[in-house]
């Protein structure tokens, strides 16, 4: 397997024993930097420390409490990592992203001990870091190994597991957006990747009550699905196979109202935006569309997002603006093939009521008001999210549509 991929997964009960195998095998590290925060180290220490070999000089470094994944922190960790042979991250999203980028920058191998089945970025080749309060995606390398011990995962706060469910079930809206773009614009659609990602969904959807009871088999299935999604992003070369319209809505909310979302987990927000996007997609498929060419002056981006973000957002949005010829071609495809487009999309989408019941059974919030978001803020995000990325989604089709949805 290519070195850009995570080469080993240690999952299930006693998976922590994989640390010893790793340290005597592909990641021999006489000087090992073990990075965690106070909470993740408390959760995993009893499983991690006994696995260190006699030849490993492990130095523990805590990032403290309530850590945020900032590039400043990752850069500082990269400097510290230069004194060691490898990094062992102990944590989930924040810890993994900081360590992943630090290891990449310092050119050091790293592995991660997952402390919660909470997100799909463990094995992805990118790190999500804050710069001036704004999340950006940075190139990195996946870990050499992911250690996902069910004893640790099962003991994680249930809220984290629910966030992982939200970060997984967005597959339905992601794939629908990518397939729509493919059918209208001939953009890439990696069907084989999505075939893999769909294979866990029946178990996840039918077993959500068990997730609330921390059944080990369910959480192992969830963790496998999350790791598969990370591998999918690495295989595809971008986050596109795990992030489309639903993430654009979430991204817009974070961009505009991030200070109001500091206590909301990424997967919790994605659960809500996925349900919104699913409702939106199904509603659009009840009718048809006639699209017009769209242009937005720079002033529109300044007005909606401010001068600081205007250059990057306008540059990204400009990449998907359609020419007059492309608009004509899209309208011709819609007129000729819309019934077939509806069928193809329906074959890969989860029904909205099925998705909603599953999320409610998981115990996760499903409406903006439940996380304290005012209706007008959420409406802003759904109205302008299409301006924030170069990916063509149902949000763009709606913005270009000159017919009213049913």
């Amino acid at each position: 397997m290519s070195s850009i991929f995570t080469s080993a997964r240690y999952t299930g009960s006693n998976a922590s024993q994989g640390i010893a195998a790793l340290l005597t095998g592909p990641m021999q590290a006489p000087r090992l930097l073990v990075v965690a925060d106070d909470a993740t180290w408390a959760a995993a220490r009893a499983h991690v420390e006994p696995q260190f070999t006699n030849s490993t000089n492990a130095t523990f470094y805590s990032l403290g409490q309530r850590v945020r994944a900032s590039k400043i922190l990752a850069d500082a960790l990269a400097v510290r990592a230069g004194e060691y042979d490898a990094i062992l991250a102990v944590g989930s999203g924040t810890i993994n992203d900081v360590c992943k980028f630090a290891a990449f920058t310092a050119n050091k191998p790293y592995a991660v001990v997952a402390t919660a089945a909470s997100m799909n970025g463990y094995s992805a080749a990118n790190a999500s870091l804050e710069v001036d309060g704004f999340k950006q995606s940075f190139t990195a390398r996946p870990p050499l190994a992911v250690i996902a011990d069910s004893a640790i995962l099962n003991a994680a706060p249930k809220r984290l597991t629910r966030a992982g469910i939200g970060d997984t079930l967005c597959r339905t809206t992601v794939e629908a957006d990518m397939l729509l773009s493919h059918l209208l614009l001939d953009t890439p659609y990696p069907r084989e990747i999505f075939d893999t990602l769909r294979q866990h969904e029946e178990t996840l959807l039918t077993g959500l009550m068990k997730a609330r009871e921390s059944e080990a088999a369910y959480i192992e299935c969830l963790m496998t699905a999350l790791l598969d999604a990370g591998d999918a992003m690495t295989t595809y070369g971008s986050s596109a196979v795990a992030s489309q319209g639903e993430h654009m809505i979430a991204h817009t909310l974070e961009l505009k109202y991030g200070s109001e979302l500091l206590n909301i987990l990424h997967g919790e927000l994605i659960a809500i935006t996925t349900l919104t996007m699913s409702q939106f997609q199904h509603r659009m498929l009840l009718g048809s569309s006639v699209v017009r060419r769209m242009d937005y002056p720079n002033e529109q981006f300044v007005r909606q997002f401010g001068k600081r973000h205007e250059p990057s957002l306008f540059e990204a949005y400009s990449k998907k603006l359609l020419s007059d010829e492309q608009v004509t071609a899209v309208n011709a495809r819609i007129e000729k093939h819309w019934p077939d487009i509806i069928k193809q999309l329906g074959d890969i989408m989860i029904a909205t009521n099925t998705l909603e019941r599953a999320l409610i059974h998981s115990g996760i919030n499903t409406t903006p008001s439940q996380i304290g978001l005012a209706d007008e803020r959420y409406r802003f995000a759904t109205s302008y999210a299409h301006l924030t990325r170069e990916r063509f989604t149902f949000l763009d089709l709606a913005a270009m549509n000159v017919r009213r949805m049913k």
Side-chain angles (χ1 to χ4, degrees), residues 325-371:
E325 292 78 11
Q326 288 174 308
V327 167
T328 299
V330 167
N331 281 326
R333 289 191 183 189
I334 291 173
E335 182 177 5
K336 183 177 182 180
H337 300 295
W338 191 243
D340 181 61
I341 290 171
I342 292 174
K343 182 183 183 305
Q344 290 192 55
L345 287 164
D347 287 343
I348 54 90
M349 295 168 71
I350 299 174
T352 300
N353 59 354
T354 300
L355 181 64
E356 184 174 25
R357 284 197 305 269
L359 291 172
I360 290 172
H361 280 311
S362 76
I364 200 168
N365 292 321
T366 56
T367 65
S369 62
Q370 289 175 325
I371 61 170

Side-chain angles (χ1 to χ4, degrees), residues 36 66 86 102 135 146 148 151 168 170 172 177 188 223 227 278 280 307 315 386:
R66 302 182 67 83
K135 277 287 184 77
V146 176
T168 300
C170 69
T172 177
D177 277 340
M223 191 69 197
L227 293 177
S278 176
F280 186 69
K307 289 184 178 180
E315 180 183 3
H386 67 286

Side-chain angles (χ1 to χ4, degrees), residues 123-142:
S123 56
N126 63 281
S128 182
L129 302 171
E130 287 184 6
V131 177
D132 295 328
F134 175 49
K135 277 287 184 77
Q136 297 183 31
S137 183
F138 293 88
T139 299
R141 277 195 302 266

Side-chain angles (χ1 to χ4, degrees), residues 15 139 161 174 196 287 291 302 313 320 377:
T139 299
T161 302
V174 170
T196 298
V291 301
V302 174
L313 293 179
K320 64 179 177 183
R377 280 158 158 59

Side-chain angles (χ1 to χ4, degrees), residues 278-289 338-339 341-343 345 349 352 394 397 401 403-406:
S278 176
Q279 294 166 337
F280 186 69
Q281 290 172 340
H282 282 91
R283 191 164 69 252
M284 287 203 70
L285 293 179
L286 293 176
S288 63
S289 300
W338 191 243
I341 290 171
I342 292 174
K343 182 183 183 305
L345 287 164
M349 295 168 71
T352 300
F394 272 87
L397 183 63
N401 192 8
R403 291 181 178 173
R404 301 183 70 178
M405 291 188 298
K406 292 184 179 180

Side-chain angles (χ1 to χ4, degrees), residues 187-249:
T187 52
Y189 168 59
R191 187 179 300 274
E192 297 80 7
I193 286 178
F194 285 115
D195 287 343
T196 298
L197 296 180
R198 272 187 255 112
Q199 67 183 346
H200 306 293
E201 284 182 351
E202 183 176 356
T203 299
L204 294 175
L205 289 168
T206 59
L208 277 171
M209 291 304 293
K210 295 179 180 178
R212 299 181 75 172
E213 301 165 5
S214 295
E215 182 173 297
Y218 183 90
I219 294 182
E220 286 179 27
C221 176
L222 174 61
M223 191 69 197
T224 299
L226 292 167
L227 293 177
D228 284 351
D231 287 349
M233 287 187 272
T234 299
T235 299
Y236 191 67
S238 85
S239 65
V241 292
S243 170
Q244 292 284 328
E246 72 298 317
H247 276 73
M248 291 160 66
I249 296 172

Side-chain angles (χ1 to χ4, degrees), residues 19-53:
I19 298 172
L22 188 66
L23 293 175
T24 57
M27 200 175 84
Q28 296 183 30
R31 297 170 301 166
L32 178 68
L33 182 63
V34 182
V35 181
D37 64 25
D38 293 350
T40 60
W41 187 237
R45 180 177 184 176
H47 299 274
V48 173
E49 276 191 332
Q51 307 306 321
F52 294 147
T53 64

